Amino acid sequence: MTIGSGSVVESVEAPEARTERARLTPEEAAALARRAGLEELGVRPGLLGYAREVWSYRHLVWHLSSAQAWATNQNNYLGQLWAVLNPLLLVGSYYLIFGLLLKTRGGTSNYIAFLTIGIFVFGYSASAIIAGSRAVVGQIGLVRALRFPRAVLPISVTLTQFLVNVPAFAVLMVMIPLTGEPFSPHWLLFPVALVFQSLINLGLAFYLARVVNTARDSANLVPVGVRLARYVSGVFFSIPHYAGYGLVSALLLYQPLAVSMTTAREALMDQYPLTWGSWVAAAAWGVALSVTGIVFFWRGEGRYGSN
Amino acid sequence: MGATDVADTTTPSVVCSGLDIVYTVFGAKQKGTDTGGQVPLVERLLTKRNPVSSVRKVHAVKDVSFVVNHGEAVGIIGRNGSGKSTLLRAVAGLMPPTNGRVWASGRPSLLGVNAVLLTGLTGAKNVMIGGLALGLTPRQVRERYDDIVDFSGIGDFVNLPMSAYSSGMGARLRFAISTAAAPDILMIDEALATGDAEFQARSRDRIAEIRRDASTVFLVSHSNAAIRESCDRVLWMEQGRLVMDGPTDEVVRAYEQSHRRAPA
Ligand SMILES: Nc1ncnc2c1ncn2[C@@H]1O[C@H](COP(=O)(O)OP(=O)(O)O)[C@@H](O)[C@H]1O
Ligand SMILES: [Mg+2]
């Protein structure tokens, strides 16, 4: 019922086929392409070249992130007001559950500040990790329509989540003095803590975006992992107070998500003096995760969008 | 980038060699094997290789090879599902080849019917993001912004999210964005079909202009008239294979005859 393909090609093509249209061997094709100065598609560039290419797309990263951050809260009547209302509602409900009902305030002198910092700082990582894991598979339309280094996507998703959370951080800075924390020059370190945390989030986004692109099922595990992390990272309880000072406690305290909260609390709360340990750990996690993360992500370049 | 200096009509701009593309499809229910409860459950579970998930491979492009020169306009014809869009995606560098290799000059720009821009964002934001992704600087996009919006003819809708656009409006905006960057290789995948007659005439002019700059044009269309008008060479795809490659008249005539011989 379908046409006999071979015969059509031969009967019509053979007499006046132009030379280059005669079937080339792979070697001939490669030689021809090289002579014409063509670039091979679907192959991975070198790591340095890749990094340079990503840098040349920085404007795309910025416009993609800011537009999507703005669009996050645009599809309802209160619009951007939700960016502030959401975190406030969250703090209210957590205070009710953990502060008044479950009483996990042990070891903290200003539980509201402790809890608010925990919720907002962890909330940023949680949303960045979940969105980051879907950075490639969730944008498959864009990936199949436009050619750009795919590392743009995890970077842009992380930046989007940062921008989405800026109102929450502003709310935090208003709430901290209201909870009775005395003003301190250490507060200026809070943005530094956010930079380290963003690097950590970026690194995790690089890793997860590639893993989820290859093994799609893993996307379902990410929210579970994040929920688990929420309960062991000291969002609403003080880890040393409940886990002591042993090895388990140290592991819990120095994993990247907990360290982000520790640095934020040391910057903002009187009860927690600055310690070298947490800031060095945060910086080291941030640099290590984002550098190894982009290498890991780069090794998958050329395969994004193939399924 | 160098390629334009040597651009004449005898240097290749696309070389495609033994190209294979295989899609992995998730969530495919294998309807064909399900005979509506006549097969006993146990047997069904035993015969199905993987009862938990259903992943299938679709071999969309099979061993396709061709060479296209600068300034050529190539039509691609074939039935639905014959692999035309997939072939274009591979030549645009958007789908990595499963087998075979593809080379191209400069930056190919693909314009598909469902080349999703970001539907939650306004047309204006999409102009910026699309332009940047095509390699323009923010300044160049701003300079060309008015031209792009004028050419698309969508007027004030440019400040509404694209989810509020009709399919024709979306296609016009995508066409305007894709051609604003003066691509080395322009690929149009059925994107003109949804526009009205006036827009189709204008886009034909724009395509002719792009070809004059020694760029290569690929056009997928189900309108043989449009193919005859814009293309001097045609590739005919059938079930993922390239069955014929030659001058427009011959290939289109053979394609039309195949309908008559084997009505679908
Ligand atoms: N995103 C996709 N995922 C899985 N299969 C696909 C996808 N796109 C196309 N296919 C399959 O690949 C084959 C070729 O499709 P396509 O290239 O869109 O054909 P055409 O453009 O000629 O209509 C079809 O069998 C189709 O089902
Ligand atoms: Mg198609």
Side-chain angles (χ1 to χ4, degrees), chain B residues 93-122:
Chain B
L94 301 169
M95 282 286 303
T98 312
N99 280 311
R101 301 169 81 179
V102 182
W103 295 265
S105 74
R107 198 189 293 269
S109 155
L110 175 65
L111 185 63
V113 240
N114 39 18
V116 207
L117 295 184
L118 299 144
T119 48
L121 304 183
T122 63

Side-chain angles (χ1 to χ4, degrees), chain A residues 234-248:
Chain A
V235 176
F236 38 78
F237 65 92
S238 157
I239 293 177
H241 184 81
Y242 289 94
Y245 291 88
L247 181 66
V248 175

Side-chain angles (χ1 to χ4, degrees), chain A residues 28-250:
Chain A
E28 286 167 344
L32 180 64
R34 194 166 348 98
R35 244 181 294 124
L38 305 185
E39 184 195 339
E40 181 162 9
L41 304 179
V43 292
R44 179 159 53 89
L47 183 56
L48 269 185
Y50 189 68
R52 227 176 285 125
E53 211 187 332
V54 172
W55 174 247
S56 75
Y57 277 91
R58 61 194 177 281
H59 299 292
L60 177 63
V61 170
W62 170 250
H63 285 272
L64 203 54
S65 313
S66 57
Q68 293 201 308
W70 182 253
T72 304
N73 286 313
Q74 279 301 83
N75 53 359
N76 43 49
Y77 284 102
L78 291 181
Q80 299 302 324
L81 207 51
W82 281 112
V84 177
L85 285 179
N86 263 331
L88 282 179
L89 292 172
L90 207 62
V91 171
S93 50
Y94 270 68
Y95 183 66
L96 215 65
I97 297 171
F98 294 105
L100 300 182
L101 294 176
L102 297 179
K103 304 222 182 355
T104 56
R105 53 205 313 170
T108 64
S109 58
N110 181 351
Y111 186 65
I112 302 208
F114 181 92
L115 180 66
T116 315
I117 295 172
I119 290 172
F120 287 11
V121 169
F122 188 84
Y124 167 39
S125 284
S127 58
I129 289 168
I130 291 175
S133 69
R134 304 192 44 81
V136 175
V137 292
Q139 298 277 27
I140 206 74
L142 206 58
V143 168
R144 293 219 171 120
L146 295 166
R147 189 152 75 109
F148 52 84
R150 304 314 184 191
V152 161
L153 293 171
I155 298 173
S156 151
V157 161
T158 309
L159 183 56
T160 301
Q161 292 307 322
F162 176 77
L163 294 173
V164 164
N165 279 282
V166 163
F169 297 138
V171 168
L172 182 61
M173 292 313 295
V174 173
M175 280 191 63
I176 290 297
L178 290 181
T179 62
E181 286 294 325
F183 281 95
S184 151
H186 291 170
W187 289 10
L188 295 176
L189 283 174
F190 181 51
V192 180
L194 287 179
V195 168
F196 294 153
Q197 189 192 355
S198 302
L199 287 175
I200 290 171
N201 292 347
L202 177 64
L204 294 174
F206 278 137
Y207 277 105
L208 292 171
R210 178 171 170 206
V211 168
V212 168
N213 182 67
T214 0
R216 203 157 281 240
D217 296 342
S218 51
N220 297 318
L221 298 178
V222 173
V224 180
V226 167
R227 202 161 308 138
L228 188 67
R230 189 186 295 274
Y231 291 107
V232 300
S233 300
V235 176
F236 38 78
F237 65 92
S238 157
I239 293 177
H241 184 81
Y242 289 94
Y245 291 88
L247 181 66
V248 175
S249 174

